Structure formats: C-alpha cells, structure tokens
C-alpha cells in the first residue's frame, strides 16, 4: 500500500479521511448536511461531494436544483488525483439517483483502493422505505450484484434489506438471517437500521470477522417517537462509520507529524 502523499495531509487527522458522496439540500438536514459535521466532531477530515443539490428534500410538494452526473463525479476525482489528494481511509455513499452514477461509484471504489488497499467503504443503499421505492428500480440489481460485494459495511433499512436479500423480514430471526445473507455476499459489517415488528422498532447489527466463523449479532429496541424526522439514517450511518477503528501505519503517523510541524500546527 502506498503511503498517503504529504499534500493530502495538509489538514491531517489521525482518525482518518472520509470521502462522502451523498445528497445535499439548502434547507433541512439530509445527506451530507447530516453526516459531515458529526464526522468532523469525531475527529475525521471529511471531503463531501454532493450527488444532488436541491432546494429542500423531496418530501415537500416541490423541489428544484441540480443533479451531478457520472462524468461530473469523475471530473472531481481526476482533479483530486492530479493534485495527489486521493488518499482516503473511508468512502461513504448515500442517496444516488441513477444507474450510471452508481456504476461510476464502483469505479471510484476501485480508484481509491488502488491508492489505499485498506479503504473502508461504508454504503447506505438508499432505495426506499415502507414498501415504496424512491429511486429507479434498475438500481436495486446494481446494488445487489455489484455494490454489496465490494462494501465493507452496509446500513440498509428493513425495506432495503428485503430488496437486497429477497427475504421478507417479519421477525427478529428474519433480520438476523438477512444479515447472514448479506455477509455471504460481501460486507463484514451489516446494520439493519430499523425493523418494524408488531409496532416495535428494532435495530439489528452483525459483524463477521471472517468467513470461517459465525457473525456476532446484537439488537437494540428503539423507542417509537410520534414525529416525522429526516436525515436520521444518514446521521446513523455517519456515526457508525465514525466508530470503526482506523489505525494509521507508523510511516503515515510520521508524515502526519511532519505536516503538523511545517504547517505551524494547523
């Protein structure tokens, strides 16, 4: 693995550097507006790329804004690479609205792992909720067949986990089995962020350290609050990423200290 270039550590963090590709809204908190600041509070350097920039989230009667396409995403990646700024410890992805953009994300994963083979890819496969898709149906097979196998951690909700596993989740046992199916497909860490069972909300987490051993699993009972929230899943995924241990090598730590010295402690 190549060490991170000095320029990429001008504003260094011993915790890690995150490239976060998610949505952005001018008003309200979803996507990068929910994820970036909490990760910074946890000590991460975070570089956001906004997959969309909307006036407000799409739950309102109307919204306006811009959608980044795959080539525009790749232009940004090439700009970072040209300046030796493409060293990341983590990649975080959230809402993606087209198959072409999602396929370009796969190229970004390959590119980042060519620079840092130990890159942790945390994927929130945002596709829908409560039985309703709010992305094109074509994205489901791309997530299932291409994205899940390269992800390090997956954070679907109940509906998304059902789409990815083709398993109907109606019990805690089903939720745990869905995690097992996803482990077999790729990611070592899976968190199903909300399962509605008889009016009760459960979170189920699962970690399989290696394929020879059964995963360690847990559940959290979530109190139901009679209110409507947005961006909570984006925040949850960011906090989960923020608690994945990241260990920089001795050489990387030395570069960090050198940068701190020559940048006047910034």
């Amino acid at each position: 693995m190549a060490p991170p270039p000095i320029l990429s550590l001008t504003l260094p963090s011993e915790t890690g550097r995150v490239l976060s590709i998610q949505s952005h809204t001018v008003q309200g908190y979803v996507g990068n507006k929910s994820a970036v600041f909490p990760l910074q509070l946890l000590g991460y350097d975070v570089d956001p790329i906004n997959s969309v920039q909307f006036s407000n989230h799409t739950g309102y009667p109307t919204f306006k804004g811009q959608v980044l396409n795959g080539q525009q995403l790749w232009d940004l990646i090439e700009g970072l690479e040209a300046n030796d700024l493409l060293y990341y410890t983590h990649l975080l992805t959230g809402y993606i609205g087209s198959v072409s953009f999602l396929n370009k994300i796969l190229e970004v994963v390959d590119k980042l792992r060519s620079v840092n083979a130990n890159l942790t890819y945390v994927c929130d496969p945002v596709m829908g909720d409560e039985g309703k898709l709010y992305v094109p149906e074509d994205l489901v097979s791309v997530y299932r067949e291409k994205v899940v196998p390269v992800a390090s951690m997956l954070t679907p909700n109940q509906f998304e986990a059902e789409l990815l596993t083709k398993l109907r989740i109606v019990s805690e046992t089903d939720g745990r089995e869905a995690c097992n199916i996803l482990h077999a497909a790729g990611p070592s860490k899976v968190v199903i962020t909300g399962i509605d069972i008889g009016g009760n909300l459960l979170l189920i987490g699962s970690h399989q350290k290696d394929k020879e051993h059964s995963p360690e699993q847990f559940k959290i009972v979530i109190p139901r609050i009679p209110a409507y929230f947005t961006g909570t899943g984006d925040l949850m995924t960011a906090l989960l990423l923020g608690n994945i241990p990241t260990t920089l090598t001795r050489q990387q730590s030395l570069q960090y200290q050198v940068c701190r010295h020559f940048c006047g402690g910034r």
Side-chain angles (χ1 to χ4, degrees):
M1 180 186 68
I6 289 291
L7 283 177
S8 74
L9 296 178
T10 301
L11 294 174
S13 165
E14 288 185 305
T15 307
R17 297 185 71 237
V18 181
L19 180 63
S20 179
I21 306 175
Q22 301 195 65
S23 62
H24 169 83
T25 58
V26 176
Q27 193 281 331
Y29 290 88
V30 298
N32 274 327
K33 282 186 72 177
S34 288
V36 173
F37 184 54
L39 282 170
Q40 290 171 331
L41 289 176
L42 290 171
Y44 287 84
D45 287 329
V46 187
D47 295 343
I49 293 178
N50 298 326
S51 57
V52 301
Q53 178 170 262
F54 290 155
S55 55
N56 45 267
H57 73 73
T58 56
Y60 283 88
T62 185
F63 64 92
K64 292 189 176 184
Q66 300 80 40
V67 178
L68 200 71
N69 63 42
Q71 184 55 53
Q72 290 168 329
L73 169 64
W74 196 249
D75 288 343
L76 295 173
I77 297 299
E78 288 184 328
L80 292 168
E81 183 178 31
N83 291 290
D84 219 8
L85 296 170
L86 208 56
Y87 186 94
Y88 290 96
T89 56
H90 299 77
L91 170 66
L92 171 61
T93 62
Y95 175 80
I96 292 165
S98 71
V99 170
S100 61
F101 195 93
L102 186 55
N103 280 322
K104 191 60 69 172
I105 289 287
L106 292 164
E107 295 183 38
V108 172
V109 174
D110 289 341
K111 174 66 73 173
L112 296 185
R113 284 185 170 154
S114 73
V115 179
N116 176 16
N118 294 322
L119 175 86
T120 297
Y121 174 25
V122 178
C123 173
D124 183 4
V126 179
M127 293 181 285
D129 200 4
E130 298 180 347
K132 181 180 178 181
L133 275 174
Y134 41 69
V135 297
E137 189 173 352
D138 292 348
L139 264 74
V140 177
S141 61
V142 179
Y143 271 113
R144 184 190 301 126
E145 298 167 12
K146 298 181 180 180
V147 178
V148 170
V150 301
S152 310
M153 173 184 276
L154 208 65
T155 62
N157 60 31
Q158 179 178 1
F159 177 59
E160 292 157 350
E162 290 176 339
L163 290 174
L164 294 173
T165 61
K166 300 182 180 181
L167 174 69
R168 180 76 171 141
I169 301 174
V170 296
S171 67
E172 178 185 337
T173 300
D174 293 336
R176 293 176 182 268
E177 178 58 23
C179 290
N180 293 336
I181 294 171
L182 292 170
H183 284 315
S188 61
K189 299 178 178 67
V190 177
V191 177
I192 303 179
T193 55
I195 299 177
D196 189 337
I197 299 174
N200 298 312
L201 285 177
L202 297 180
L203 176 150
I204 293 181
S206 186
H207 178 205
Q208 186 173 36
K209 294 181 179 179
D210 56 66
K211 299 298 183 183
E212 285 72 38
H213 295 87
S214 298
E216 299 175 7
Q217 298 184 331
F218 64 91
K219 73 172 180 180
I220 298 175
V221 179
I222 305 170
R224 184 180 290 277
I225 300 173
Y228 177 74
F229 300 95
T230 61
T232 52
D234 305 321
L235 173 61
M236 167 69 77
T237 299
L239 294 176
L240 288 168
L241 182 157
N243 286 279
I244 299 173
T246 301
T247 302
L248 298 181
T249 66
R250 185 175 182 277
Q251 183 177 15
Q252 292 166 8
S253 296
L254 177 61
Q255 287 188 333
Y256 171 85
Q257 296 301 329
V258 168
C259 248
R260 294 281 288 181
H261 174 76
F262 285 104
C263 294
R266 291 175 294 177

